[in-house]
Amino acid sequence: MIQTAPTQPSWPRAIGIGIAVSVLTAIVMIALLKVGVSPFPKPPSLAFAETLLGRPLPMPVGLLFHTVYVTFWSVVFVRYFPRKTLPTALGLAAVLWVVILVVFFPVVGWGLAGLAIGPQLIPASALPHLLFGLLLWGLDRYVGGHGGT
């Protein structure tokens, strides 16, 4: 009997999942911002783009930064994580959430954990990361080919 090594998911599949996760999470975040429920002063990806480039930018630039970031981490998960379980996807989401709190928020001037804006940024930033983990796992598992184990 010949055994074959498991193959990595294709680049197009991994990138497609990343873009889908990016679009779905962006829709939720923008909807919450538009109805006035979001406590963020502006979308975090737009705040980062403006900080990086040193000037005010239109929303599409922030969405582009969001898409690149989310797609990158989605590709890392889909192509390179050996165990693609729900706890693993949620673990990645949790690690990225902590990075946002202790690195990203201070860089954009919102303080450690966003506390310069207010403590509400802590749970508000956890929600999209939870959604990221759930969508990433679900799309990897159920869309286009055999995904997780």
Side-chain angles (χ1 to χ4, degrees), residues 118-132:
Q120 68 275 18
L121 289 194
I122 297 169
S125 61
L127 196 57
H129 285 86
L130 174 63
L131 183 60
F132 165 80

Side-chain angles (χ1 to χ4, degrees), residues 48-108:
F48 180 73
E50 289 178 346
T51 300
L52 189 64
L53 299 176
R55 61 187 176 102
L57 297 166
M59 177 70 83
V61 176
L63 290 173
L64 179 61
F65 271 71
H66 169 81
T67 299
V68 169
Y69 177 79
V70 171
T71 301
F72 172 80
W73 285 108
S74 297
V75 167
V76 168
F77 178 83
V78 171
R79 284 200 42 99
Y80 300 109
F81 273 46
R83 293 187 43 117
K84 292 181 248 176
T85 62
L86 180 57
T88 304
L90 293 175
L92 173 60
V95 167
L96 294 174
W97 175 55
V98 170
V99 169
I100 292 299
L101 294 174
V102 299
V103 175
F104 175 82
F105 283 172
V107 165
V108 300

Side-chain angles (χ1 to χ4, degrees), residues 3-29:
Q3 286 185 330
T4 59
T7 59
Q8 283 184 320
S10 70
W11 281 100
R13 179 178 181 275
I15 292 168
I17 288 170
I19 290 171
V21 171
S22 172
V23 167
L24 293 170
T25 54
I27 288 170
V28 171
M29 294 287 292

Side-chain angles (χ1 to χ4, degrees), residues 108-120:
V108 300
W110 295 352
L112 182 65
L115 292 174
I117 303 298
Q120 68 275 18

